Amino acid sequence: MSITVETHCPYCALDCGLKLHVDQGRVTGSTKWKGSPLSRGGLCTKGITAWQQVHHEDRIRTPLVRWDGRLRPATWDEALDAAANGFLKLRDRYGPAVNAVLGGGSLTNEKAYLLGKLARLGLKTPHIDPNGRLCMTSAGAAAMQAFGVDRAMTPLEHLPAADVVVVVGANLPDAFPLIMPLVTRARRRGTKFVVVDPRGSKLVKDDDIHLAVRPGTDTALAAGLLREIAVRGGVDWPFVTDRTTGADDAIAATEGWDLERTSLTAGVGITEIARAASWIAGARNGMILHARGVEQQVNGVQGVLSWINIALARGWAGRKGCGVMPMTGQRNGQGGREHGQRCDQLPGYRSIDDPMDRAVVAERWGVTPEELPGRGRTYVELLHDAERGAVKGMLVMSANPAVSGPNGARIRRCLDAVEHMVVVDPFMSETARYASVVLPGSTFAEEDGTITTTEGRVVRIDQAVPPIAIRGDLDVIRGLAHRLGVRDKFDFHTGREVFEELKALSAGGIADYSGLDWDALRDKGGVFWPATTDNPDGTEILHTERFGHPDGLARMVPVVPSGPSTLPDADHPLVLTTGRHRDHYLSGNQTRRIPAQADRAPAPILEVHPRTAAIMRLVEGEPVEVTSHQATITLGWIPNDRLRRDTVFVAWHWEGVNDLTDDALDPISRIAAVKHTPVAIRPAVTTVGPSVPALRGEAVGA
Ligand SMILES: Nc1nc2c(c(=O)[nH]1)N[C@H]1C(S)=C(S)[C@@H](COP(=O)(O)OP(=O)(O)OC[C@H]3O[C@@H](n4cnc5c(=O)[nH]c(N)nc54)[C@H](O)[C@@H]3O)O[C@H]1N2
Ligand SMILES: Nc1nc2c(c(=O)[nH]1)N[C@H]1C(S)=C(S)[C@@H](COP(=O)(O)OP(=O)(O)OC[C@H]3O[C@@H](n4cnc5c(=O)[nH]c(N)nc54)[C@H](O)[C@@H]3O)O[C@H]1N2
Ligand code: SF4
Ligand SMILES: [Mo]
């Protein structure tokens, strides 16, 4: 019998809807779901081929346990016993904090919630943090500080209602392809675009202002802009006075950042900065879309705060066509940072440090507040802790740090040092090579649940086929919980059952899901949180009357401009920045296996400005050697005249690219500064590339 199942793309956080075709228990294709929210059936190349991962020949179909140095097929009972016993032995010997959990933003809300519960109640460890630490934490920390809520302010469909849209460090055409129809609609309506990015993309049109900022200097550029907006009388004082605090200090902190100094520091022309300031100052409605370019920096939180100050100074909040929009990356990068898989957090965006929050959660979970572990360490720190022996057990579900972690050689040393590594993944990942137990994970089609889009819209994932390895992620969590002695607290068989517990527990939290209804989520095309029982239809536009802080006011935080931690020098004169290719997703463990995607982008290619290439004597068609303080790798290259001359760019979806990057962390968000690495380039003497492993046909690492 053949059926279709409405669900959402597994990759980026636009979460485009699609219909999966299921025939005789197999997913055989997909078609447009025209009634789906936001994209209305549109899909990019990745979304069109996503269904091919479900029954892919490389899927891990049986658990693997390392015996005599090799991963060999095992039964589920053997593998789950080995996984749990390894953690228990380490805990007996060294205490609970020796075990750590790395989660991920691809997990549904329900799995993220259960993984947090498993870490705290089952492993009894404070150490759980998701790969979203590498992604959304600068944005989240800044939003919490400024607004008291970490969510995009308004639906993306409202983009055409803005007079000006400022796009800061967001590569929209490649990273969020299905936002482009909205951009086109906005342009037709007369919306102006200011693009702040060292690399021009297909987004930038002739009538736009492109501020090709020197990487790592957004705080300076934003300070200069705020100063100029203030000088031009562009501060919306009635809004600022009624709805914010700190404006005077925030504006005072930009003292001295006149156009000349700003231009020199940020590497952008005076005229362009002045024009941008005049557009922004003159726009009643405006939106700022920001992403990883400004955030994955040692001053990532400050960078975001400096752009937020501009939005607040202009009164761009609380109404249609206005708002600050952190462009969340992974399909559930939003919900995955709300429900307790972060080291500082309990479900519903509750704080693990707050006694009231701890009391509520402890009571629901049937433990005392004292039994709930406190704040743990963050993602990259936990990996580094393994290198020094403080972490010896690691459960990895939906993360692939061997490819995506900064300073790859060090990450490999850290992974190697883990004594007991358990990886749950639908495909053999580079990280799973270090595992003592590999458990088959599920793809997006195999379990039900909910995810939360970049807009803050909660949507439903329906199961199309049962887990192909019999057990899915939820069963794995339940199986581990039983063996860790907390069977009674993990009696779940479906995502929907977990959803009911999660939503009840979120009541009163910042991310309040308590008014959501499983059936209504489908009928309404998703619901924006907060959604309470009094307001089950949810909240599309945030902050219409009050911001999230107890006094209802937003904070304008003074930002003193700062730069990157390691500056270019004579030996490393250029800055390498890393990002996305349209046809691959993150560590590539899914998309590199899909032939159409692999054919479109078979290997990483360095982009270099043609003038820089000429100075460095690069030859077209010949490889280039890239050297950072961390490593040297060899890549193919292409000219790109839309890049700054002092900047080179590469997409990082292949193992080896991150060998180049620096693992300096932002002091607040603990995000890694992968957008800024000083490098040298020269023609390569050999043609050896970074190790781009052949992924096809290595499902069983036996
Ligand atoms: N095709 C594809 N799409 C994806 C993903 C994917 O892997 N592939 N991943 C998803 C995820 S998890 C994420 S987080 C998002 C990421 O989405 P984005 O952040 O939009 O994507 P990136 O390509 O990482 O790059 C951000 C942009 O920042 C610019 N930039 C670099 N340095 C600076 C700087 O100092 N200041 C400013 N203002 N800009 C700078 C870069 O040139 C680049 O254009 O994409 C999501 N969508
Ligand atoms: N140089 C550089 N490095 C970066 C970035 C950058 O811009 N530059 N960006 C960073 C960003 S923004 C991010 S988000 C990180 C992400 O980096 P990663 O953690 O590497 O992300 P993924 O490739 O999604 O890896 C997740 C793993 O989970 C598996 N998986 C996917 N869905 C599921 C599921 O539902 N269940 C289970 N069990 N497994 C699943 C996949 O097969 C994959 O092996 O990388 C960061 N690293
Ligand atoms: S990757 Fe993003 S833009 Fe492409 S289809 Fe999936 S959700 Fe839509
Ligand atoms: Mo991300």
Side-chain angles (χ1 to χ4, degrees):
M1 197 189 62
S2 119
I3 53 163
T4 56
V5 177
E6 291 169 350
T7 190
H8 295 266
C9 172
Y11 302 124
C12 89
L14 294 182
D15 294 322
C16 301
L18 52 87
K19 283 186 184 175
L20 287 177
H21 292 248
V22 183
D23 206 356
Q24 320 265 357
R26 280 180 75 85
V27 176
T28 53
S30 70
T31 41
K32 289 185 174 198
W33 171 17
K34 292 200 173 132
S36 65
L38 194 65
S39 61
R40 310 271 166 220
L43 294 169
C44 74
T45 65
K46 299 185 297 303
I48 289 171
T49 60
W51 67 273
Q52 295 178 19
Q53 60 171 277
V54 183
H55 302 282
H56 196 288
E57 60 180 350
D58 292 353
R59 285 292 303 277
I60 305 177
R61 287 178 162 77
T62 169
L64 305 170
V65 177
R66 196 172 291 279
W67 278 308
D68 296 334
R70 297 187 66 186
L71 285 171
R72 300 167 197 273
T75 65
W76 270 107
D77 275 336
E78 287 166 342
L80 286 167
D81 285 348
N85 289 340
F87 294 127
L88 289 173
K89 263 192 215 149
L90 286 171
R91 185 167 84 191
D92 285 349
R93 188 133 174 234
Y94 303 100
V98 73
N99 292 314
V101 181
L102 302 183
S106 284
L107 297 175
T108 57
N109 289 319
E110 292 69 25
K111 294 180 200 175
Y113 166 79
L114 275 195
L115 200 61
K117 191 173 175 184
L118 182 77
R120 273 84 182 220
L121 301 192
L123 291 170
K124 305 188 194 305
T125 178
H127 299 315
I128 171 165
D129 213 41
N131 65 1
R133 179 66 57 183
L134 302 171
C135 179
M136 294 311 299
T137 43
S138 293
M144 288 302 283
Q145 216 177 323
F147 312 124
V149 179
D150 168 18
R151 201 210 90 179
M153 286 192 186
T154 172
L156 282 169
E157 265 153 1
H158 294 177
L159 204 72
D163 304 317
V164 166
V165 172
V166 186
V167 182
V168 184
N171 175 4
L172 300 184
D174 293 315
F176 302 97
L178 263 291
I179 202 179
M180 294 309 284
L182 281 169
V183 169
T184 307
R185 247 173 43 213
R187 285 186 192 285
R188 278 203 205 110
R189 199 212 129 265
T191 304
K192 295 175 175 172
F193 281 79
V194 178
V195 179
V196 186
D197 198 307
R199 173 178 180 248
S201 67
K202 283 187 261 78
L203 173 68
V204 182
K205 300 281 181 241
D206 289 346
D207 293 341
D208 298 351
I209 298 176
H210 178 199
L211 304 178
V213 62
R214 174 177 289 136
T217 65
D218 280 79
T219 48
L221 178 59
L225 278 169
L226 180 57
R227 178 114 219 107
E228 185 63 14
I229 290 164
V231 167
R232 287 168 183 256
V235 176
D236 179 348
W237 284 109
F239 176 93
V240 164
T241 313
D242 281 0
R243 307 229 23 213
T244 74
T245 61
D248 291 339
D249 290 345
I251 294 170
T254 67
E255 190 62 51
W257 287 90
D258 55 25
L259 291 175
E260 264 174 31
R261 183 177 177 199
T262 306
S263 163
L264 275 173
T265 307
V268 181
I270 289 180
T271 332
E272 291 152 296
I273 305 173
R275 276 185 70 217
S278 98
W279 280 17
I280 294 169
R284 180 174 140 67
N285 287 344
M287 284 166 76
I288 295 185
L289 273 53
H290 61 87
R292 306 309 83 75
V294 56
E295 300 162 20
Q296 289 169 330
Q297 305 276 0
V298 284
N299 55 0
V301 179
Q302 297 293 302
V304 177
L305 284 169
S306 67
W307 289 104
I308 287 176
N309 282 343
I310 291 178
L312 288 173
R314 289 295 306 126
W316 289 353
R319 49 176 207 279
K320 192 169 176 180
C322 289
V324 179
M325 311 287 287
M327 296 301 298
T328 293
Q330 304 176 80
R331 75 158 178 165
N332 197 30
Q334 179 69 45
R337 68 179 191 266
E338 297 167 0
H339 297 298
Q341 60 165 338
R342 257 174 42 186
C343 65
D344 53 352
Q345 190 192 60
L346 291 170
Y349 223 114
R350 286 191 166 88
S351 162
I352 203 155
D353 301 323
D354 183 302
M356 293 285 287
D357 285 342
R358 294 175 64 82
V360 172
V361 175
E363 203 252 341
R364 291 294 178 85
W365 282 355
V367 294
T368 63
E370 295 71 38
E371 284 173 282
L372 270 188
R375 179 190 284 247
R377 302 254 294 164
T378 62
Y379 189 93
V380 178
E381 292 170 318
L382 287 171
L383 286 158
H384 292 174
D385 286 349
E387 193 182 16
R388 62 183 181 87
V391 164
K392 296 181 193 294
M394 199 172 264
L395 171 63
V396 181
M397 189 182 241
S398 191
N400 192 5
V403 176
S404 53
N407 187 358
R410 181 164 182 203
I411 295 286
R412 287 192 292 276
R413 285 201 302 279
C414 299
L415 293 170
D416 209 28
V418 177
E419 282 177 25
H420 180 61
M421 162 96 76
V422 178
V423 176
V424 190
D425 202 302
F427 294 104
M428 194 65 197
S429 68
E430 290 76 3
T431 303
R433 288 186 202 141
Y434 297 83
S436 27
V437 180
V438 179
L439 300 170
S442 22
T443 64
F444 71 115
E446 288 155 83
E447 284 175 300
D448 66 344
T450 62
I451 55 174
T452 306
T453 72
T454 182
E455 307 170 275
R457 188 197 308 249
V458 186
V459 297
R460 207 172 92 186
I461 298 297
D462 283 2
Q463 185 188 46
V465 290
I468 68 159
I470 316 292
R471 278 176 175 261
D473 292 340
L474 282 174
D475 302 307
V476 167
I477 296 176
R478 195 180 64 246
L480 288 174
H482 288 188
R483 287 165 178 81
L484 294 171
V486 283
R487 173 184 289 263
D488 58 319
K489 302 193 193 310
F490 288 82
D491 189 20
F492 304 101
H493 293 82
T494 64
R496 185 175 181 170
E497 288 165 12
V498 186
F499 168 78
E500 297 301 332
E501 176 171 307
L502 157 65
K503 82 177 211 204
L505 183 47
S506 76
I510 294 173
D512 192 328
Y513 283 33
S514 58
L516 298 180
D517 174 78
W518 183 262
D519 295 318
L521 280 182
R522 177 55 29 92
D523 302 341
K524 291 178 184 165
V527 173
F528 289 77
W529 70 258
T532 57
T533 38
D534 292 342
N535 174 29
D537 290 337
T539 316
E540 283 200 354
I541 301 182
L542 291 178
H543 315 308
T544 48
E545 278 147 37
R546 295 172 54 81
F547 287 94
H549 291 298
D551 60 7
L553 303 177
R555 307 285 185 267
M556 287 181 69
V557 181
V559 176
V560 178
S562 58
S565 59
T566 316
L567 290 169
D569 56 26
D571 292 336
H572 303 90
L574 304 172
V575 173
L576 170 77
T577 192
T578 55
R580 270 81 196 155
H581 188 287
R582 187 198 59 185
D583 296 314
H584 283 298
Y585 184 66
L586 297 179
S587 71
N589 198 25
Q590 299 162 87
T591 48
R592 277 188 283 132
R593 296 174 193 278
I594 292 179
Q597 305 306 117
D599 291 348
R600 286 187 185 106
I605 297 182
L606 189 76
E607 296 179 16
V608 186
H609 191 279
R611 290 281 294 272
T612 311
I615 293 166
M616 300 296 172
R617 300 184 189 285
L618 302 189
V619 181
E620 273 198 59
E622 298 281 319
V624 55
E625 194 177 274
V626 190
T627 300
S628 70
H629 289 283
Q630 285 68 240
T632 297
I633 69 170
T634 304
L635 297 166
W637 73 278
I638 47 165
N640 179 354
D641 61 9
R642 298 181 135 207
L643 255 177
R644 285 180 62 90
R645 289 181 196 174
D646 57 7
T647 304
V648 292
F649 173 90
V650 70
W652 63 276
H653 311 286
W654 296 263
E655 188 177 24
V657 174
N658 258 318
D659 285 13
L660 291 172
T661 53
D662 192 353
D663 51 18
L665 305 180
D666 177 289
I668 300 166
S669 67
R670 315 308 281 166
I671 207 166
V674 288
K675 287 291 189 274
H676 191 283
T677 307
V679 292
I681 61 172
R682 59 171 198 172
V685 278
T686 64
T687 52
V688 183
S691 54
V692 178
L695 281 175
R696 309 208 66 226
E698 59 162 24
V700 176

